[in-house]
């Protein structure tokens, strides 16, 4: 069984001094705990020094399995579809040295620095994706206002019910841009594909800077160009966009669907400053079987979209932070197995 913990659970375990008890539980039950780099960065933003150090020490234990970043995982899904649909866009020789450098920094380097409580990595965590998170929050506020005016905003049950049938086409003011990126006028597609096209286009073609080190430039582009001729694909953006809109299988790029689906249902409940972080962490759910969170709202939203996902993701389980955390985790694991 693969277990993923929400960042708040790592914090609660550390705050209550239960790190060693949790470690012994996992060893005794032979559970595979998988850890998300996004949670590590969030824990590094903890303002209280002692809690930050204890939390990072716990999430950084060598027994756990460290997952790739969400950027690497999403790009690997894209690359696999490019290989299936346009094999000629692949590099004849992958840039293995660059890939190894990226992987080493994110699998080892940043974790070692975090365990040392290195000031530079704490500063990086505070700065990491600040603009992206703010952009997501602003986008959701603007979209909610627009949908409210259009009468589209609904309760959670109604929003979930329309996920399967939600089709998309560009707004009139955006149609020329979408046409330049592969949109076929007069057609419609699953709504998540339009959002995915905008986000992936930004990550691959607009935010790219010359590669320097894994923490600079566009993470999407850095991972993508280790396997694919990015210049060639950039010259064929409309063809790439057409593949994403009409040919790539939802089951092959589920993380793109997840970001859209979670963002959609987030509109149906009270807004939270944690929406952007939740969207980031949700992409890791495809790497686990159980996901424990102490955020009732997040668990409820994930549970609501679980049956709609193109492929299964980790079952979301609420963990009461006021309870006996380790005993409750063990009991909930047993319930899941049954």
């Amino acid at each position: 069984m693969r277990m993923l913990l929400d960042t708040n659970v790592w914090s609660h375990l550390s705050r209550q001094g239960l790190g060693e008890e949790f470690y012994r539980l996992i060893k005794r039950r032979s559970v595979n705990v998988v850890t998300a780099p996004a949670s590590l960065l969030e824990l590094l933003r903890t303002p209280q020094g002692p809690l930050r150090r204890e939390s990072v020490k716990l999430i950084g234990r060598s027994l756990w399995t460290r997952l790739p970043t969400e950027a690497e995982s999403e790009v690997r899904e894209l690359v696999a579809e490019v290989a299936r649909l346009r094999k000629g866009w692949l590099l004849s020789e992958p840039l293995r040295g660059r890939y190894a450098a990226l992987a080493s920094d994110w699998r080892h380097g940043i974790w070692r620095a975090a365990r040392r409580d290195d000031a530079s990595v704490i500063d990086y965590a505070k700065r990491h994706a600040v603009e992206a998170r703010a952009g997501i929050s602003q986008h959701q506020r603007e979209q909610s206002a627009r949908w409210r005016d259009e009468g589209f905003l609904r309760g959670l049950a109604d929003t979930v019910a329309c996920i399967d049938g939600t089709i998309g086409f560009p707004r009139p003011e955006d149609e020329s841009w979408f046409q330049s990126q592969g949109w076929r006028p007069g057609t419609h597609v699953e709504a998540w594909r339009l959002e995915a096209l905008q986000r992936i286009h930004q990550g691959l073609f607009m935010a790219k800077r010359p590669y320097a080190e894994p923490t600079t430039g566009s993470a999407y582009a850095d991972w993508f160009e280790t396997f694919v001729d990015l210049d060639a694909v950039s010259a064929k953006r409309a063809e790439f966009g057409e593949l994403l809109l009409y040919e790539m299988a939802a089951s092959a790029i589920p993380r793109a669907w997840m970001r859209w689906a979670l963002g959609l249902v987030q509109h149906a409940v009270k807004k939270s400053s944690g929406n952007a972080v939740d969207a980031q962490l949700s992409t890791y759910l495809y790497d686990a079987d159980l996901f424990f969170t102490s955020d009732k709202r997040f668990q409820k939203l994930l549970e609501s979209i679980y049956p709609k996902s193109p492929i299964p993701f980790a079952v979301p389980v609420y963990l009461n932070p006021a309870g006996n955390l380790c005993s409750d985790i063990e009991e909930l694991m047993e319930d899941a197995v049954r």
Side-chain angles (χ1 to χ4, degrees):
M1 178 187 295
R2 299 169 302 169
M3 177 196 298
L4 177 67
L5 304 183
D6 198 350
T7 312
N8 51 48
V9 177
W10 291 112
S11 291
H12 290 314
L13 287 167
S14 300
R15 186 178 288 109
Q16 296 178 29
L18 296 174
E20 287 304 315
E21 184 178 342
F22 177 70
Y23 180 78
R24 290 193 298 270
L25 165 65
I26 296 307
K27 285 197 72 174
R28 175 165 50 84
R29 297 300 299 263
S30 298
V31 174
N32 182 16
V33 172
V34 295
T35 55
S39 285
L40 174 67
L41 294 176
E42 193 174 353
L43 290 171
L44 283 168
R45 292 192 283 270
T46 303
Q48 302 90 353
L51 177 60
R52 180 185 65 245
R53 288 187 287 272
E54 191 62 32
S55 299
V56 167
K57 176 184 175 183
L58 179 56
I59 196 176
R61 297 198 74 147
S62 60
L63 180 64
W64 320 143
T65 299
R66 295 171 185 170
L67 294 173
T69 65
E70 70 273 13
E72 180 185 357
S73 294
E74 290 178 64
V75 165
R76 285 167 65 174
E77 292 175 352
L78 278 178
V79 169
E81 281 296 87
V82 167
R84 181 175 71 87
L85 297 166
R86 293 294 187 276
K87 193 172 183 178
W89 290 354
L90 299 179
L91 296 171
S92 56
E93 289 291 334
L95 304 180
R96 301 187 189 282
R98 182 173 295 181
Y99 179 87
L102 283 163
S104 177
D105 268 18
W106 281 107
R107 304 282 206 286
H108 307 291
I110 196 167
W111 291 87
R112 286 195 295 263
R115 284 176 63 86
R116 294 195 305 268
D117 206 36
D118 189 290
S120 63
V121 79
I122 294 171
D123 180 62
Y124 168 69
K126 291 177 180 177
R127 293 183 289 105
H128 178 69
V130 169
E131 292 181 4
R133 293 195 300 274
I136 290 173
S137 298
Q138 178 65 23
H139 171 72
Q140 288 194 337
R141 285 193 295 270
E142 293 173 354
Q143 195 170 59
S144 289
R146 185 171 67 251
W147 284 351
R148 190 177 297 108
D149 291 342
E150 296 171 356
F152 180 75
L153 270 184
R154 311 175 184 184
L156 181 58
D158 288 338
T159 301
V160 172
C162 75
I163 283 180
D164 288 337
T166 301
I167 60 172
F169 41 84
R171 290 182 295 171
E173 61 267 32
D174 298 329
E175 190 165 349
S176 61
W177 182 86
F178 276 98
Q179 283 189 41
S180 73
Q181 303 303 318
W183 169 261
R184 301 171 189 163
T187 67
H188 62 261
V189 298
E190 298 155 297
W192 67 267
R193 294 180 182 271
L194 294 176
E195 183 175 297
L197 176 61
Q198 290 176 296
R199 184 169 46 79
I200 292 169
H201 179 276
Q202 173 68 24
L204 291 183
F205 308 127
M206 303 303 293
K208 175 62 183 161
R209 302 183 214 157
Y211 177 85
E213 56 185 76
T215 56
T216 65
S218 165
Y220 266 60
D222 284 340
W223 289 108
F224 193 78
E225 68 179 359
T226 62
F227 299 103
V228 180
D229 186 337
L230 183 57
D231 290 336
V233 176
S234 182
K236 298 181 178 180
R237 296 183 192 185
E239 188 175 349
F240 175 81
E242 196 170 17
L243 294 181
L244 181 55
L245 290 173
Y246 300 101
E247 297 187 47
M248 291 188 181
S251 59
I253 51 174
R255 293 168 217 268
W257 176 91
M258 172 63 84
R259 284 186 181 271
W260 169 82
L262 183 63
L264 183 67
V265 295
Q266 283 175 337
H267 287 288
V269 296
K270 185 178 179 181
K271 298 293 175 291
S272 167
S273 59
N275 278 5
V277 176
D278 289 348
Q280 184 182 21
L281 190 59
S282 69
T283 65
Y284 293 92
L285 297 179
Y286 292 105
D287 298 309
D289 303 303
L290 275 181
F291 174 63
F292 287 100
T293 178
S294 293
D295 183 343
K296 282 186 177 179
R297 176 182 174 278
F298 191 22
Q299 187 273 336
K300 180 181 180 181
L301 294 180
L302 291 172
E303 187 176 56
S304 73
I305 64 175
Y306 183 87
K308 307 290 186 178
S309 177
I311 62 173
F313 59 80
V315 175
V317 179
Y318 173 69
L319 184 66
N320 185 348
N324 187 322
L325 293 181
C326 290
S327 296
D328 289 349
I329 287 173
E330 185 167 23
E331 182 178 341
L332 291 166
M333 281 194 299
E334 292 174 352
D335 290 344
V337 170
R338 286 196 294 267

